[in-house]
Amino acid sequence: MESNLLYNESERLETQIQCLLETPTFINNIESNNEYLDSSNKDRVSSFKCQLRKNPLIDSDILRMFYGLHYSYTNKLIQKISISDDLKVLTTLSDFCYLDNYLIQDKKIVNSLAEKNEIIDFVALKNNQVIVYFTEFGLYSWNYAVNNVNTLLEMNRVQIRAMDVSLDSRYIAGGCCSGNIYIVDSIKAKLKVVFHSHKSKIYALSFTQDGKYLISGGGSFDNLPDYNIRIWNILRKSLMSILAGHALTVYKIRIHESGDFFLSLSRDNTIRLWNLKNIIKESVLTETQGLVIDRKHREYNFSSKMIEKQEKVKFKNTYLGALNILSDKDHNKLDPKYIAEILKTIKEKNEIERGDIESDYYFEAKGRLAPDIFFSKSFIYLFNPRDLLFEKFSINKFKKQKLQCMKINPLTNICFVADKNFAYVDKNQNLKIISIGTKKIIKDPLPGKSLTLIEISLQKKCFVISIFNDADTLCYTVSIWDIEKMQFIWHLNVGVILPFQVIISKDKNFLAISLYYSSINIYNINTKTLIKKITPLYLENYLIGFTDDSKNFIVYNESNPESYFSVWGTENFAFRFSQRSHNRVCKALINAEPKVYYFEKVDKKLKIQFGKKVNITKSKKYGVVAIGKFYNVFRLRDKFIISIK
């Protein structure tokens, strides 16, 4: 048939493709210990293709495993962030196993690490191009400049809950659920000491500016209640002081830049300001070197009048021993008398001031957020998770002032940067930076945050094609990456209809996309233009394919009861002919002179091969002879021609 009975003939298009709101590219960052680096490209491609499972989450992990490739923040949930003082580099922890460095000005990820074990916490070291992080199996340092991971400390399933790093990056502290505190010397890459004193979980750790002292706090209901704050001398490996007074878990400790004061935030709904300078000065009389258990472990016994007084209050409240079977809310209801008595009677002389916060800041918090505190030169800032806003306290009078204009909706922790800005990632995965002085908000959508990965496929043994749903534009997008050259090719918006099939010609000049029950679009990859749009007369899903010489484009319609295919020449994408395939021949024949092609449907795709003018079907029952623009099908048994096309 010379006429085109299946398609509306459309004009040739040369239109620039609509720009996407975001165009994330693959991040290429193969770990140095990747076993697939040693295999040949042919073997790697073959193994990669075999392991694809048509599951976007699994396939994205396979793609990262084989080629170190992944799409920015697509399909990632960010748990924690850290931001440099110059507001240029954002470091994120996603899905508890991915660390990424994002350049805010360039709007792209430049370094990425995939850890096979869950990352509990991390700290980005200042000016070192190094990130240190804990897993349950140890402490590691990642030098992202050379993409190298070193083991600083091996551990056997130790549950770290908090960590901090000294300002000079020399010492790294990790607090455990058991109450132990590990101090690691990063220069010598070995354990310096393990402090044994806390009787329950560690939630807060903070080094002083000079790195000589460490302040720790915590406490939980599942062990002996121990909510006291401890101050450690790192160089002397000693316990300098224990501060009593908090009646429930201490979650945050912040040290003033002067080193003279520190703050503690507790579940007992108080914020306390402490005189750190005096505590260190007076510790000459209270400091203890502890009992050396072995070369690295030390156990400390410490007593003071306030601790003894606190123990007497605990003794009167005998039900405290059963707190491990109570929930947080039940605990809060059962011990108001104990909390009130502790808050009233226990006050250390170096506790300068005390501020109250409302009790439902914890229980009515939005999602998994918790209150947080930050220290500036003159003010204390409290994040209120109930109302999602900041509150400001004067250090001198501890008088609260609400900052209604700074209402926020964070998904992650909040960073206090250079005494001037708050930074966080919101629930839509936008990076937001708030200037305290001007109240100006900078919003930066993270690349890939609006994209949901639908499918990954491999074409021509070198093209990785990914299909996404873009929530911002309510459209579908297609991304192409050449894994042979390790080169990003294109990311385009294909409209509101999901692609049914995406293919690339062998000469790499053309991209064809068949949309579900809709049109077929053909693009020029080199010029990034749409050059042909084929609109079928019938609402069907059409299989498409290019011949190996890239000179013909074939569209196959498997409608019932008849199956048709049509041929376009790729020189100017003019329609050539359309005809019905024969139902007795497993492979349809296209006699596009001077060459002959056979094609067949394989897994919802067209398999196209060069053919002979005379051929025999696999069953050996039929023969096919191409004559001019027609072909004859005959039965071999009696040489009877049963069809002429």
Side-chain angles (χ1 to χ4, degrees), residues 11-17 527-532:
E11 71 278 7
R12 181 178 175 85
L13 301 173
E14 291 187 355
T15 309
Q16 292 294 327
I17 307 305
T527 61
K528 306 292 190 295
T529 54
L530 174 65
I531 58 175
K532 185 71 175 180

Side-chain angles (χ1 to χ4, degrees), residues 411-638:
L411 172 72
T412 63
N413 62 301
I414 302 167
C415 295
F416 188 47
V417 187
D419 204 29
K420 298 178 181 178
N421 306 282
F422 290 110
Y424 64 94
V425 172
D426 68 13
K427 293 183 178 180
N428 295 319
Q429 296 215 162
N430 299 303
L431 172 64
K432 288 188 176 178
I433 301 174
I434 303 175
S435 172
I436 295 176
T438 64
K439 309 296 188 299
K440 181 181 178 181
I441 300 177
I442 300 174
K443 179 181 176 181
D444 183 15
L446 296 179
K449 58 94 181 177
S450 71
L451 299 177
T452 301
L453 181 61
I454 296 175
E455 180 184 338
I456 293 178
S457 62
L458 182 66
Q459 294 259 337
K460 300 290 187 293
K461 298 183 179 180
C462 65
F463 295 110
V464 171
I465 296 179
S466 306
I467 301 174
F468 298 91
N469 181 15
D470 189 339
D472 284 348
T473 61
L474 301 178
C475 292
Y476 293 95
T477 69
V478 173
S479 172
I480 309 167
W481 183 276
D482 188 336
I483 57 175
E484 191 175 67
K485 297 180 179 179
M486 296 307 290
Q487 179 182 0
F488 174 72
I489 297 177
W490 201 10
H491 189 195
L492 72 153
N493 188 333
V494 297
V496 296
I497 301 175
L498 176 66
F500 173 68
Q501 189 182 0
V502 181
I503 62 168
I504 295 177
S505 61
K506 193 170 184 178
D507 62 6
K508 305 178 184 180
N509 289 327
F510 304 110
L511 168 70
I513 301 176
S514 174
L515 303 176
Y516 267 95
Y517 300 102
S518 185
S519 63
I520 299 164
N521 298 335
I522 303 169
Y523 303 86
N524 187 310
I525 294 178
N526 300 316
T527 61
K528 306 292 190 295
T529 54
L530 174 65
I531 58 175
K532 185 71 175 180
K533 184 174 183 179
I534 302 170
T535 306
L537 292 174
Y538 306 107
L539 294 178
E540 301 284 347
N541 288 328
Y542 291 82
L543 296 175
I544 54 178
F546 288 97
T547 56
D548 281 351
D549 57 7
S550 301
K551 291 184 178 180
N552 293 283
F553 176 65
I554 302 165
V555 179
Y556 180 55
N557 172 33
E558 196 180 35
S559 60
N560 190 19
E562 297 179 337
S563 298
Y564 287 88
F565 63 84
S566 298
V567 180
W568 277 263
T570 58
E571 184 177 353
N572 56 7
F573 277 94
F575 172 74
R576 299 191 66 180
F577 60 88
S578 177
Q579 65 187 39
R580 185 167 66 91
S581 61
H582 198 277
N583 57 5
R584 295 178 186 266
V585 182
C586 64
K587 291 185 179 181
L589 177 143
I590 300 170
N591 186 19
E593 289 191 290
K595 295 184 178 180
V596 176
Y597 306 93
Y598 289 88
F599 75 86
E600 61 181 326
K601 178 184 174 184
V602 179
D603 295 331
K604 294 184 179 180
K605 295 180 181 179
L606 288 185
K607 182 179 179 182
I608 302 173
Q609 297 175 323
F610 281 117
K612 301 176 182 178
K613 287 185 179 289
V614 179
N615 208 342
I616 298 175
T617 62
K618 282 184 178 180
S619 65
K620 297 184 180 180
K621 292 182 179 180
Y622 301 97
V624 182
V625 179
I627 304 172
K629 294 184 178 180
F630 306 96
Y631 66 84
N632 297 336
V633 180
F634 58 92
R635 195 162 45 228
L636 294 177
R637 183 178 61 187
D638 51 14

Side-chain angles (χ1 to χ4, degrees), residues 134-196:
F134 270 105
T135 74
E136 62 179 350
F137 296 102
L139 173 65
Y140 305 90
S141 66
W142 173 40
N143 187 326
Y144 50 82
V146 295
N147 193 30
N148 185 41
V149 176
N150 291 319
T151 302
L152 298 179
L153 177 66
E154 290 186 352
M155 308 168 80
N156 185 18
R157 297 189 180 277
V158 175
Q159 294 180 310
I160 299 292
R161 291 302 301 261
M163 70 176 294
D164 195 30
V165 179
S166 60
L167 192 62
D168 61 1
S169 305
R170 174 70 184 269
Y171 297 113
I172 303 166
C176 304
C177 289
S178 63
N180 296 337
I181 301 174
Y182 289 77
I183 306 296
V184 178
D185 188 325
S186 64
I187 295 178
K188 297 180 180 180
K190 66 178 184 179
L191 182 66
K192 182 177 179 67
V193 65
V194 180
F195 294 135
H196 298 261

Side-chain angles (χ1 to χ4, degrees), residues 80-85 89-92 99-101 121-133 142 144 163-167 169:
K80 181 183 177 181
I81 69 167
S82 174
I83 194 166
S84 60
D85 288 342
V89 181
L90 171 72
T91 303
T92 62
L99 286 172
D100 297 297
N101 277 337
D121 201 357
F122 78 92
V123 173
L125 305 186
K126 296 182 182 297
N127 306 319
N128 280 6
Q129 295 184 316
V130 172
I131 295 173
V132 293
Y133 62 91
W142 173 40
Y144 50 82
M163 70 176 294
D164 195 30
V165 179
S166 60
L167 192 62
S169 305

Side-chain angles (χ1 to χ4, degrees), residues 298-314:
R298 295 194 179 201
E299 194 171 87
Y300 301 85
N301 290 317
F302 190 96
S303 182
S304 69
K305 290 182 179 180
M306 282 298 163
I307 293 176
E308 292 173 359
K309 193 174 182 180
Q310 182 178 251
E311 291 300 317
K312 290 179 181 179
V313 177
K314 287 183 181 180

